[in-house]
Amino acid sequence: MSEHPDCALIRRGYEAFGKGDMEKLSSMMTADVIHHMPGNNPLSGHHKGREAVMDLYRRIAEETNGTFRVRLESVLADGRGHVMSFHTTFADRGDRGIEIHEGLFFTLVGDKITDIDGCTSDISENDAFWSQPLTAGR
C-alpha cells in the first residue's frame, strides 16, 4: 500500500527539519504560510510568512542550544489537503528538559504547506518549558 502524497510531503518536511535543512523545508511552504503556536509563552501566537516561520524554527534551535528534536510517530491525510502528524518532542532549555507528545495540523494547497496548527498534550508543561528564564550556562 503506497503512502498518500500529502503524507509523503509532510514526512519529507520532518526529515528536512531533523537534518536542519531549512532551505528544503522553506521550499515546501507558501510565501504566506502561517504557523500557529499554542499556549501562552514567548513562542505562542501566529507566525505569518515563510521568513517568520523560519525565524521561529531558528529561535527554537537557539533557545534549546540545538537539543530540540522530534520523533515522528504517525501521519494521516484526509485526501482534501489536510494532514495531521503526531510526534514526541525532546529538548533541553536552561536547567529543564522536556519530552512531550505533540501534533501538527497542516493545510496544503497543491504541493505546498499554507498553514500549520500546533497542538500539545500538556499546554501548562509546554508554557513552563518555553517561559523559564535561561541560565547563564545555557
mmCIF file of all heavy atoms in Angstrom, residues 38-61:
data_model
loop_
_atom_site.group_PDB
_atom_site.id
_atom_site.type_symbol
_atom_site.label_atom_id
_atom_site.label_comp_id
_atom_site.label_asym_id
_atom_site.label_seq_id
_atom_site.Cartn_x
_atom_site.Cartn_y
_atom_site.Cartn_z
ATOM 1 N N PRO A 38 0.714 26.997 20.023
ATOM 2 C CA PRO A 38 -0.251 27.013 21.125
ATOM 3 C C PRO A 38 0.316 27.609 22.410
ATOM 4 O O PRO A 38 1.524 27.804 22.541
ATOM 5 C CB PRO A 38 -0.551 25.521 21.317
ATOM 6 C CG PRO A 38 0.723 24.840 20.939
ATOM 7 C CD PRO A 38 1.274 25.672 19.797
ATOM 8 N N GLY A 39 -0.573 27.866 23.343
ATOM 9 C CA GLY A 39 -0.171 28.238 24.684
ATOM 10 C C GLY A 39 -0.034 29.725 24.906
ATOM 11 O O GLY A 39 -0.497 30.550 24.109
ATOM 12 N N ASN A 40 0.632 30.027 26.014
ATOM 13 C CA ASN A 40 0.865 31.403 26.430
ATOM 14 C C ASN A 40 2.318 31.507 26.895
ATOM 15 O O ASN A 40 2.601 31.498 28.086
ATOM 16 C CB ASN A 40 -0.111 31.779 27.557
ATOM 17 C CG ASN A 40 -0.001 33.222 27.948
ATOM 18 O OD1 ASN A 40 0.454 34.049 27.175
ATOM 19 N ND2 ASN A 40 -0.395 33.531 29.169
ATOM 20 N N ASN A 41 3.209 31.559 25.928
ATOM 21 C CA ASN A 41 4.637 31.641 26.209
ATOM 22 C C ASN A 41 5.294 32.493 25.119
ATOM 23 O O ASN A 41 4.608 32.907 24.182
ATOM 24 C CB ASN A 41 5.241 30.233 26.308
ATOM 25 C CG ASN A 41 5.162 29.468 25.008
ATOM 26 O OD1 ASN A 41 5.844 29.806 24.036
ATOM 27 N ND2 ASN A 41 4.323 28.433 24.951
ATOM 28 N N PRO A 42 6.572 32.765 25.214
ATOM 29 C CA PRO A 42 7.209 33.650 24.237
ATOM 30 C C PRO A 42 7.151 33.169 22.780
ATOM 31 O O PRO A 42 7.304 33.985 21.868
ATOM 32 C CB PRO A 42 8.662 33.723 24.725
ATOM 33 C CG PRO A 42 8.570 33.486 26.194
ATOM 34 C CD PRO A 42 7.464 32.473 26.345
ATOM 35 N N LEU A 43 6.902 31.892 22.549
ATOM 36 C CA LEU A 43 6.807 31.389 21.169
ATOM 37 C C LEU A 43 5.366 31.287 20.673
ATOM 38 O O LEU A 43 5.136 31.049 19.485
ATOM 39 C CB LEU A 43 7.471 30.017 21.060
ATOM 40 C CG LEU A 43 8.960 29.943 21.381
ATOM 41 C CD1 LEU A 43 9.473 28.529 21.196
ATOM 42 C CD2 LEU A 43 9.763 30.925 20.550
ATOM 43 N N SER A 44 4.399 31.451 21.563
ATOM 44 C CA SER A 44 2.990 31.321 21.208
ATOM 45 C C SER A 44 2.573 32.394 20.213
ATOM 46 O O SER A 44 3.160 33.470 20.152
ATOM 47 C CB SER A 44 2.111 31.451 22.456
ATOM 48 O OG SER A 44 2.379 30.426 23.366
ATOM 49 N N GLY A 45 1.538 32.070 19.465
ATOM 50 C CA GLY A 45 0.964 33.060 18.562
ATOM 51 C C GLY A 45 1.035 32.617 17.117
ATOM 52 O O GLY A 45 1.263 31.443 16.808
ATOM 53 N N HIS A 46 0.810 33.584 16.244
ATOM 54 C CA HIS A 46 0.721 33.331 14.814
ATOM 55 C C HIS A 46 1.970 33.889 14.128
ATOM 56 O O HIS A 46 2.189 35.098 14.125
ATOM 57 C CB HIS A 46 -0.535 33.984 14.241
ATOM 58 C CG HIS A 46 -1.762 33.679 15.038
ATOM 59 N ND1 HIS A 46 -2.338 32.427 15.068
ATOM 60 C CD2 HIS A 46 -2.493 34.442 15.878
ATOM 61 C CE1 HIS A 46 -3.380 32.442 15.872
ATOM 62 N NE2 HIS A 46 -3.495 33.654 16.385
ATOM 63 N N HIS A 47 2.756 33.007 13.562
ATOM 64 C CA HIS A 47 3.982 33.389 12.855
ATOM 65 C C HIS A 47 3.635 33.397 11.370
ATOM 66 O O HIS A 47 3.446 32.331 10.770
ATOM 67 C CB HIS A 47 5.113 32.426 13.192
ATOM 68 C CG HIS A 47 5.368 32.364 14.673
ATOM 69 N ND1 HIS A 47 6.277 33.188 15.289
ATOM 70 C CD2 HIS A 47 4.795 31.623 15.657
ATOM 71 C CE1 HIS A 47 6.272 32.943 16.590
ATOM 72 N NE2 HIS A 47 5.375 31.990 16.839
ATOM 73 N N LYS A 48 3.513 34.598 10.812
ATOM 74 C CA LYS A 48 2.978 34.770 9.462
ATOM 75 C C LYS A 48 4.074 35.044 8.449
ATOM 76 O O LYS A 48 4.881 35.959 8.633
ATOM 77 C CB LYS A 48 1.975 35.927 9.448
ATOM 78 C CG LYS A 48 0.797 35.703 10.375
ATOM 79 C CD LYS A 48 -0.124 36.902 10.398
ATOM 80 C CE LYS A 48 -1.255 36.652 11.395
ATOM 81 N NZ LYS A 48 -2.170 37.790 11.440
ATOM 82 N N GLY A 49 4.081 34.251 7.393
ATOM 83 C CA GLY A 49 5.046 34.392 6.319
ATOM 84 C C GLY A 49 6.209 33.423 6.472
ATOM 85 O O GLY A 49 6.587 33.055 7.579
ATOM 86 N N ARG A 50 6.740 32.990 5.340
ATOM 87 C CA ARG A 50 7.813 31.994 5.323
ATOM 88 C C ARG A 50 9.001 32.421 6.180
ATOM 89 O O ARG A 50 9.533 31.615 6.945
ATOM 90 C CB ARG A 50 8.251 31.738 3.884
ATOM 91 C CG ARG A 50 9.241 30.599 3.761
ATOM 92 C CD ARG A 50 9.735 30.402 2.334
ATOM 93 N NE ARG A 50 8.650 30.079 1.438
ATOM 94 C CZ ARG A 50 8.460 30.673 0.246
ATOM 95 N NH1 ARG A 50 9.260 31.650 -0.154
ATOM 96 N NH2 ARG A 50 7.466 30.312 -0.516
ATOM 97 N N GLU A 51 9.425 33.679 6.073
ATOM 98 C CA GLU A 51 10.586 34.132 6.850
ATOM 99 C C GLU A 51 10.295 34.106 8.342
ATOM 100 O O GLU A 51 11.156 33.731 9.138
ATOM 101 C CB GLU A 51 11.039 35.515 6.389
ATOM 102 C CG GLU A 51 11.761 35.498 5.059
ATOM 103 C CD GLU A 51 12.888 34.472 5.005
ATOM 104 O OE1 GLU A 51 13.746 34.435 5.921
ATOM 105 O OE2 GLU A 51 12.926 33.688 4.037
ATOM 106 N N ALA A 52 9.086 34.497 8.745
ATOM 107 C CA ALA A 52 8.721 34.471 10.168
ATOM 108 C C ALA A 52 8.704 33.040 10.695
ATOM 109 O O ALA A 52 9.135 32.776 11.823
ATOM 110 C CB ALA A 52 7.367 35.136 10.384
ATOM 111 N N VAL A 53 8.223 32.111 9.887
ATOM 112 C CA VAL A 53 8.200 30.706 10.294
ATOM 113 C C VAL A 53 9.625 30.168 10.399
ATOM 114 O O VAL A 53 9.976 29.490 11.376
ATOM 115 C CB VAL A 53 7.336 29.857 9.333
ATOM 116 C CG1 VAL A 53 7.465 28.370 9.631
ATOM 117 C CG2 VAL A 53 5.872 30.301 9.411
ATOM 118 N N MET A 54 10.468 30.487 9.452
ATOM 119 C CA MET A 54 11.864 30.049 9.516
ATOM 120 C C MET A 54 12.566 30.680 10.721
ATOM 121 O O MET A 54 13.365 30.022 11.396
ATOM 122 C CB MET A 54 12.604 30.399 8.224
ATOM 123 C CG MET A 54 12.152 29.604 7.002
ATOM 124 S SD MET A 54 12.441 27.825 7.155
ATOM 125 C CE MET A 54 10.785 27.251 7.422
ATOM 126 N N ASP A 55 12.251 31.947 11.023
ATOM 127 C CA ASP A 55 12.809 32.593 12.216
ATOM 128 C C ASP A 55 12.356 31.874 13.481
ATOM 129 O O ASP A 55 13.142 31.707 14.426
ATOM 130 C CB ASP A 55 12.406 34.064 12.281
ATOM 131 C CG ASP A 55 13.156 34.930 11.287
ATOM 132 O OD1 ASP A 55 14.191 34.477 10.744
ATOM 133 O OD2 ASP A 55 12.689 36.064 11.042
ATOM 134 N N LEU A 56 11.097 31.428 13.522
ATOM 135 C CA LEU A 56 10.594 30.656 14.662
ATOM 136 C C LEU A 56 11.426 29.392 14.841
ATOM 137 O O LEU A 56 11.868 29.082 15.956
ATOM 138 C CB LEU A 56 9.124 30.289 14.452
ATOM 139 C CG LEU A 56 8.544 29.252 15.409
ATOM 140 C CD1 LEU A 56 8.485 29.791 16.838
ATOM 141 C CD2 LEU A 56 7.162 28.808 14.931
ATOM 142 N N TYR A 57 11.680 28.666 13.772
ATOM 143 C CA TYR A 57 12.442 27.422 13.868
ATOM 144 C C TYR A 57 13.888 27.686 14.295
ATOM 145 O O TYR A 57 14.457 26.931 15.081
ATOM 146 C CB TYR A 57 12.397 26.660 12.546
ATOM 147 C CG TYR A 57 11.003 26.255 12.122
ATOM 148 C CD1 TYR A 57 10.730 25.930 10.803
ATOM 149 C CD2 TYR A 57 9.941 26.207 13.020
ATOM 150 C CE1 TYR A 57 9.454 25.563 10.395
ATOM 151 C CE2 TYR A 57 8.662 25.846 12.620
ATOM 152 C CZ TYR A 57 8.426 25.532 11.306
ATOM 153 O OH TYR A 57 7.165 25.170 10.905
ATOM 154 N N ARG A 58 14.474 28.776 13.793
ATOM 155 C CA ARG A 58 15.831 29.141 14.219
ATOM 156 C C ARG A 58 15.843 29.487 15.714
ATOM 157 O O ARG A 58 16.757 29.087 16.439
ATOM 158 C CB ARG A 58 16.363 30.315 13.391
ATOM 159 C CG ARG A 58 16.838 29.921 12.004
ATOM 160 C CD ARG A 58 17.529 31.072 11.298
ATOM 161 N NE ARG A 58 16.592 32.007 10.703
ATOM 162 C CZ ARG A 58 16.013 31.856 9.509
ATOM 163 N NH1 ARG A 58 16.280 30.777 8.786
ATOM 164 N NH2 ARG A 58 15.186 32.753 9.037
ATOM 165 N N ARG A 59 14.820 30.200 16.148
ATOM 166 C CA ARG A 59 14.749 30.573 17.567
ATOM 167 C C ARG A 59 14.608 29.337 18.443
ATOM 168 O O ARG A 59 15.227 29.242 19.506
ATOM 169 C CB ARG A 59 13.581 31.530 17.795
ATOM 170 C CG ARG A 59 13.511 31.984 19.228
ATOM 171 C CD ARG A 59 12.536 33.096 19.431
ATOM 172 N NE ARG A 59 12.467 33.423 20.848
ATOM 173 C CZ ARG A 59 11.494 34.089 21.394
ATOM 174 N NH1 ARG A 59 10.504 34.548 20.658
ATOM 175 N NH2 ARG A 59 11.487 34.326 22.688
ATOM 176 N N ILE A 60 13.795 28.377 18.019
ATOM 177 C CA ILE A 60 13.646 27.134 18.781
ATOM 178 C C ILE A 60 15.003 26.452 18.929
ATOM 179 O O ILE A 60 15.370 26.002 20.022
ATOM 180 C CB ILE A 60 12.613 26.201 18.114
ATOM 181 C CG1 ILE A 60 11.203 26.777 18.307
ATOM 182 C CG2 ILE A 60 12.716 24.785 18.642
ATOM 183 C CD1 ILE A 60 10.128 26.077 17.481
ATOM 184 N N ALA A 61 15.762 26.386 17.851
ATOM 185 C CA ALA A 61 17.092 25.763 17.908
ATOM 186 C C ALA A 61 18.013 26.535 18.848
ATOM 187 O O ALA A 61 18.723 25.933 19.652
ATOM 188 C CB ALA A 61 17.696 25.693 16.509
#
